[in-house]
Amino acid sequence: MKHCNLYIVFLLMFGLMYSQLIYAAEKNEDDNEKEFTVKDILLYGIENEIQSFVREQKSELSEEYMNILYERYVSSVLMQTKIELVRYFTRCENLSDNIKTYIISEATNEDTNKELRLIEFSFLAKHGGQNSMNYLIEQLSKEDIITQQSAASALAKATGNPTAELVLNYLKSTDSSIIDDTTDDVSEDDENIELSDDIKTILLKALGEWKYQPAIDYLKQLLESDISGKFVKMYAMSSLAQIGDLSAVELIREKLGDEDVKVREYAAASLATFENTAVLPIYTDMLRHNDAKIRVYACQGIAKNKDTGKIDLLLYKFKKDPDASVKNEALWTLLSMGNTGINPLKEALGKKKLPSTTLSTIAAGTVKNPSVENVAFLKELYENADKAGQKAIEKVVYRAESNLLDPIFELLLKSDNAETRLAAAGTLKKIPDTTLVNKLKDLKENDSSAAVKRTAANTLDIIGIQ
């Protein structure tokens, strides 16, 4: 009997050791499979697999894998595979010289498939040097509008002052709206070249995004020219505002009276982006303009500049403006000013019950630009609202992405309504720095609703809390 028991123990121990060995072998096999899956796809996958892989790839691969992709690019027979690979290579920050040289050579060879070559223009702008930038500038002179547009869009994605200088010089040398008989830098080759407004606006927008100050005089000339198209004027104003040129403020202000509604509204949008006390008096005039969009932009400019001197005017617009969008923007501007704007707003609202629409608007302004002060105000409104008002606030607050809203979410997580707790716990997954981790842990362990427990657990998992 004793020998029998020893035999059974031996079998159990052997079985256990064997299962562990099998598990270890399977685990190693799985690890090896994971390690070589990517390499196998790159080496042996069909072209559709390569296309899907690089389309979904968000990070740069190892040098070994990049070399395999390069070999697949050179040997590919399908144009779509080449296109997807070029797009991926363009997104990468660090490429080997052989990849750069090969694709730059293709992009500047007019025998290359046209569709591929035009996509490679973006590669030139990202990874090419001065010669590549010069080549893209040359493409702006082509009669083919698609080539022009591809070159302009690629140049607009480039960085650095050398590119901005090339673009500005080209625009100035070919722009009939500012060229006169005394212009020195117009060559015989350039004399008949005229970019369409569609192409020109792509480059004008880029000058603003580059904040290229040497372009200021040219942009102002375009704005003053009688023959500039409306889109040229619109983007010239926008770029002057992005550069932050105060000398253009009065010139832009004049366009608030332009006969074209889009020019007027671009002027207002441009003025709203300035952050300087010199622009503040203009916002008063804009708030009196007949165009509601211009009044909206005035509110945005006041908010950007924290112009607390216009509290009374904003209160008037909130209460009396004939356009709902202006009322909302005035309200949001007051909320953005902290207690300086909130206290007069509370006084204007009084103690009467607020309609759900007003509560929704206040919640939207708070979510859009949260602060300790406006969140505290919204929390107070929520606590004093009826069920309909609370629901109106909740629907908007679920769009929040800032932990400044945590004081309100703390209320929602304590709600007697399981659906409210569920929605609040789910929303917090968008806020990885939430201060309500302990509350979520409590819900995960103790909530009466299984759905709330699961959602709290899922949120904790997503934000990386065990």
Side-chain angles (χ1 to χ4, degrees):
M1 186 70 177
K2 184 177 180 180
H3 290 296
C4 181
N5 288 338
L6 287 172
Y7 180 70
I8 292 171
V9 170
F10 173 77
L11 286 176
L12 288 172
M13 291 179 62
F14 178 79
L16 180 61
M17 291 174 61
Y18 180 76
S19 63
Q20 289 177 335
L21 287 169
I22 293 297
Y23 173 76
E26 289 176 348
K27 187 175 186 299
N28 288 336
E29 187 177 332
D30 288 343
D31 289 344
N32 287 337
E33 183 179 346
K34 289 178 183 176
E35 182 181 348
F36 291 108
T37 296
V38 171
K39 189 172 182 179
D40 288 344
I41 291 173
L42 299 186
L43 283 172
Y44 313 125
I46 64 173
E47 298 211 15
N48 277 347
E49 289 179 281
I50 298 298
Q51 292 172 27
S52 297
F53 176 82
V54 295
R55 198 182 294 125
E56 296 169 4
Q57 196 63 228
K58 303 300 181 186
S59 58
E60 295 188 32
L61 299 170
S62 67
E63 183 179 354
E64 178 189 12
Y65 290 173
M66 293 296 281
N67 286 334
I68 296 173
L69 280 180
Y70 171 58
E71 291 170 4
R72 291 299 302 256
Y73 180 81
V74 174
S75 63
S76 173
V77 295
L78 294 182
M79 189 53 57
Q80 191 58 41
T81 304
K82 287 184 176 292
I83 287 171
E84 295 297 345
L85 282 165
V86 165
R87 285 173 174 158
Y88 173 67
F89 289 145
T90 302
R91 294 197 302 270
C92 293
E93 296 298 330
N94 302 299
L95 290 176
S96 59
D97 288 341
N98 60 330
I99 296 177
K100 288 182 182 180
T101 301
Y102 190 90
I103 296 179
I104 288 172
S105 175
E106 267 194 345
T108 54
N109 183 348
E110 297 197 8
D111 290 333
T112 300
N113 174 277
K114 183 178 178 180
E115 183 184 8
L116 175 62
R117 182 168 155 268
L118 295 183
I119 288 171
E120 287 175 330
F121 282 3
S122 293
F123 185 93
L124 292 181
K126 176 75 174 284
H127 297 291
Q130 190 64 43
N131 289 338
S132 293
M133 297 304 107
N134 290 336
Y135 180 79
L136 289 172
I137 290 288
E138 290 171 10
Q139 302 310 296
L140 296 173
S141 303
K142 299 295 183 182
E143 293 182 1
D144 176 18
I145 188 69
I146 302 299
T147 299
Q148 286 183 6
Q149 189 170 34
S150 297
S153 297
L155 285 163
K157 296 172 186 174
T159 57
N161 283 353
T163 304
E165 183 179 7
L166 283 173
V167 168
L168 176 61
N169 288 340
Y170 184 83
L171 285 169
K172 289 167 67 175
S173 69
T174 60
D175 198 329
S176 63
S177 61
I178 65 166
I179 292 174
D180 58 31
D181 294 337
T182 63
T183 304
D184 296 327
D185 55 357
V186 182
S187 69
E188 291 183 4
D189 292 336
D190 287 337
E191 203 167 287
N192 296 320
I193 297 170
E194 180 72 18
L195 289 177
S196 69
D197 283 0
D198 287 344
I199 304 300
K200 192 184 297 184
T201 53
I202 294 172
L203 300 174
L204 293 178
K205 185 179 178 183
L207 291 173
E209 290 173 349
W210 291 325
K211 300 187 184 303
Y212 190 56
Q213 293 198 0
I216 289 173
D217 287 342
Y218 169 66
L219 294 168
K220 288 165 70 173
Q221 283 179 292
L222 291 178
L223 203 48
E224 292 175 305
S225 173
D226 292 334
I227 62 174
S228 288
K230 75 173 186 178
F231 291 107
V232 169
K233 289 180 180 178
M234 286 157 54
Y235 282 97
M237 287 187 290
S238 179
S239 290
L240 284 166
Q242 283 183 289
I243 295 170
D245 175 44
L246 286 175
S247 70
V249 166
E250 283 303 317
L251 194 57
I252 297 173
R253 181 182 189 173
E254 291 175 9
K255 300 305 176 186
L256 292 172
D258 196 276
E259 61 183 19
D260 189 282
V261 63
K262 281 296 182 185
V263 173
R264 293 199 302 266
E265 290 172 2
Y266 256 72
S270 299
L271 290 166
T273 65
F274 281 94
E275 196 168 358
N276 193 286
T277 55
V279 192
L280 300 185
I282 298 175
Y283 298 142
T284 301
D285 293 337
M286 288 169 63
L287 280 172
R288 297 167 179 161
H289 201 288
N290 278 341
D291 189 323
K293 282 193 176 180
I294 290 177
R295 300 198 299 278
V296 166
Y297 285 126
C299 292
Q300 292 175 3
I302 292 168
K304 186 177 183 69
N305 284 276
K306 303 292 182 188
D307 182 11
T308 56
K310 293 186 172 61
I311 297 290
D312 289 342
L313 183 50
L314 289 168
L315 286 170
Y316 179 87
K317 290 298 168 184
F318 165 58
K319 300 289 284 184
K320 298 291 186 180
D321 198 276
D323 188 274
S325 64
V326 179
K327 288 185 176 203
N328 292 348
E329 202 68 47
L331 174 59
W332 294 343
T333 301
L334 289 165
L335 290 171
S336 75
M337 293 181 175
N339 289 332
T340 304
I342 291 170
N343 289 335
L345 175 61
K346 289 169 71 172
E347 188 177 339
L349 290 171
K351 296 189 180 296
K352 63 183 180 180
K353 175 186 172 184
L354 297 179
S356 294
T357 51
T358 302
L359 292 172
S360 291
T361 304
I362 293 172
T366 304
V367 170
K368 178 182 177 183
N369 187 16
S371 68
V372 172
E373 292 91 344
N374 59 29
V375 169
F377 177 44
L378 183 61
K379 180 182 176 185
E380 179 185 332
L381 291 174
Y382 182 85
E383 290 174 320
N384 295 320
D386 57 19
K387 286 187 177 180
Q390 288 184 341
K391 283 297 178 187
I393 292 173
E394 288 171 18
K395 285 181 181 178
V396 178
V397 165
Y398 294 145
R399 301 199 295 261
E401 295 183 1
S402 167
N403 70 354
L404 288 174
L405 275 295
D406 278 0
I408 295 173
F409 280 107
E410 188 171 10
L411 287 178
L412 303 186
L413 292 174
K414 294 176 181 176
S415 172
D416 293 335
N417 188 313
E419 289 184 3
T420 299
R421 300 196 304 276
L422 182 70
T427 301
L428 289 175
K429 68 174 177 273
K430 299 184 297 181
I431 308 174
D433 56 350
T434 180
T435 61
L436 300 174
V437 169
N438 288 336
K439 184 60 184 173
L440 285 168
K441 288 181 177 179
D442 181 57
L443 291 178
K444 173 185 173 183
E445 297 296 330
N446 304 312
D447 198 89
S448 58
S449 166
V452 174
K453 284 183 175 182
R454 286 194 302 271
T455 301
N458 183 48
T459 294
L460 287 167
D461 186 53
I462 288 173
I463 63 179
I465 304 295
Q466 298 301 319

